[in-house]
Amino acid sequence: MNTDSLVTIDGLTREDMLDIIRMASYFEEHPNHRILEGKVVATLFFEPSTRTRLSFETAVNRLGGRIIGFSDAATSSSSKGETLKDTIKMVSNYVDLIIMRHYLEGAARYAAEVTDVPVINAGDGANQHPSQTMLDLYSIYKTQGTLDGLTITMVGDLKYGRTVHSLLMAMRHFNPTFRFVACNELRMPDEYKLFCDKNGIRYSEHTDFSPAVIDTSDIIYMTRVQRERFTDIMEYEKVKDLYTLRNSMLDSSRPNLRILHPLPRVNEIAYDVDDNPKAYYFDQARNGLFTRQALICRALGIDPLAYKNHRP
């Protein structure tokens, strides 16, 4: 596997994460460069995406690179029965970096193992979403001034939510306290609770999204109940509306509280929250551009500070 690939957040150290945050901060100040001139990046999205794909493609464009790829697997040779291995090996003949989203867990790791071109995992099934995690960390750092010692409440789909799984693993370096708010059908899987136990991470589980939980949180991370992860539509209908954050629920919350959401939302955050200064999810999405610029440069072994004169 190419050592510059980003398949899982577990492969990053605390210093790696802080370096990426510093680089993202630099790109927020200086988003436009020509440091990817002559580089070609493939975006292979076997699963639908709007924010992730567009932010990655915007990141490449703002860095001066070129993009090939597809946003719908139906338009690729996989619809003809081509294997993932063959697709990856074929595409790697043409590009310097592959950014891939796939509906199967482990697909990104497999892709990284069959090519020498670096691979960035843009989400694999219900497994991980490391670029989302890095933009989440950047958002948390920007709003709290630190990543250390925070109380983070995760709400909604904790069973299938790859964003919460990745964030939980990343935060092990920063002494967090987690609250897991979910119904029994969507509670945090045992493997991630065992991960917390192994790494000395404090957590508690709740079925009630109570004032006591909200008012002692630094970050509330809301999630969408993902219909596409359910094989039984009746099971989805039963749990989809259990947790909705409304503006009035924030009245006695901490001044530093910020509301995050990986988006898209359905009805888990009421629209009356949008104008509350504690709502940060649209800024969070914007942070994805700068974070993904940093991840692209890291994967390609490029130090943007060495290219200061390559800004337009």
Side-chain angles (χ1 to χ4, degrees):
M1 184 190 300
N2 188 298
T3 56
D4 295 319
S5 291
L6 178 59
V7 170
T8 170
I9 202 70
D10 206 26
L12 298 179
T13 66
R14 175 188 169 98
E15 272 311 307
D16 288 335
M17 294 175 191
L18 294 176
D19 283 344
I20 292 166
I21 287 171
R22 283 190 283 268
M23 204 184 301
S25 180
Y26 170 76
F27 281 125
E28 184 164 6
E29 294 289 323
H30 310 287
N32 297 312
H33 289 259
R34 295 192 296 267
I35 58 179
L36 290 192
E37 277 186 337
K39 300 288 188 185
V40 180
V41 176
T43 52
L44 310 183
F45 278 70
F46 293 87
E47 186 179 56
S49 169
T50 302
R51 274 149 296 277
T52 302
R53 181 175 61 84
L54 290 180
S55 65
F56 265 121
E57 293 185 353
T58 303
V60 173
N61 283 322
R62 287 197 178 273
L63 292 172
R66 300 282 186 130
I67 298 164
I68 66 170
F70 53 82
S71 58
D72 182 354
T75 65
S76 74
S77 290
S78 64
S79 65
K80 303 175 184 177
E82 183 175 66
T83 65
L84 177 60
K85 177 181 179 180
D86 286 1
T87 298
I88 295 299
K89 292 188 78 68
M90 182 275 297
V91 171
S92 65
N93 289 324
Y94 310 139
V95 302
D96 302 285
L97 171 67
I98 293 172
I99 298 166
M100 188 180 85
R101 168 169 287 193
H102 203 282
Y103 50 86
L104 291 178
E105 295 182 23
R109 178 172 296 280
Y110 178 72
E113 288 172 350
V114 299
T115 178
D116 293 329
V117 173
V119 174
I120 295 178
N121 180 7
D124 59 332
N127 186 29
Q128 291 223 4
H129 197 348
S131 71
Q132 175 73 43
T133 302
M134 283 312 310
L135 78 88
D136 291 344
L137 292 180
Y138 184 47
S139 299
I140 293 169
Y141 183 84
K142 280 182 66 178
T143 62
Q144 305 299 314
T146 184
L147 291 174
D148 292 299
L150 299 173
T151 298
I152 300 174
T153 297
M154 297 174 165
V155 185
D157 183 357
L158 308 188
K159 180 178 181 180
Y160 299 110
R162 58 192 172 199
T163 60
V164 292
H165 299 162
S166 291
L167 182 59
L168 183 153
M169 296 180 76
M171 287 300 298
R172 76 186 186 279
H173 299 293
F174 303 102
N175 190 33
T177 298
F178 283 113
R179 273 75 167 276
F180 302 142
V181 179
C183 60
N184 288 331
E185 293 87 345
L186 295 175
R187 65 183 179 271
M188 185 65 74
D190 288 343
E191 64 185 284
Y192 293 102
K193 289 184 283 186
L194 289 171
F195 180 89
C196 288
D197 294 336
K198 180 180 176 182
N199 288 276
I201 298 172
R202 297 176 298 276
Y203 70 90
S204 56
E205 294 188 271
H206 310 262
T207 54
D208 184 18
F209 192 22
S210 67
V213 168
I214 294 170
D215 293 350
T216 54
S217 299
D218 300 305
I219 295 290
I220 292 178
Y221 198 101
M222 300 296 298
T223 65
R224 171 176 65 95
V225 177
Q226 304 169 80
R227 183 173 57 186
E228 63 269 27
R229 305 292 178 213
F230 284 79
T231 54
D232 184 344
I233 193 64
M234 294 305 295
E235 200 66 22
Y236 166 75
E237 291 292 335
K238 186 168 74 174
V239 300
K240 68 174 184 175
D241 296 323
L242 287 180
Y243 301 104
T244 300
L245 179 64
R246 304 186 187 283
N247 194 46
S248 60
M249 297 164 68
L250 301 173
D251 288 347
S252 55
S253 60
R254 292 176 173 176
N256 65 300
L257 173 69
R258 292 298 180 269
I259 313 301
L260 302 186
H261 191 305
L263 301 177
R265 68 171 162 183
V266 182
N267 54 7
E268 59 278 0
I269 299 179
Y271 289 111
D272 66 358
V273 177
D274 293 356
D275 293 329
N276 191 309
K278 296 174 182 178
Y280 195 75
Y281 29 91
F282 294 121
D283 301 276
Q284 176 189 1
R286 180 173 178 269
N287 290 338
L289 169 60
F290 316 122
T291 309
R292 288 174 173 127
Q293 285 181 295
L295 292 174
I296 288 166
C297 286
R298 180 182 180 275
L300 292 171
I302 295 172
D303 178 3
L305 298 180
Y307 286 80
K308 283 184 177 180
N309 296 328
H310 284 234
R311 296 203 300 271

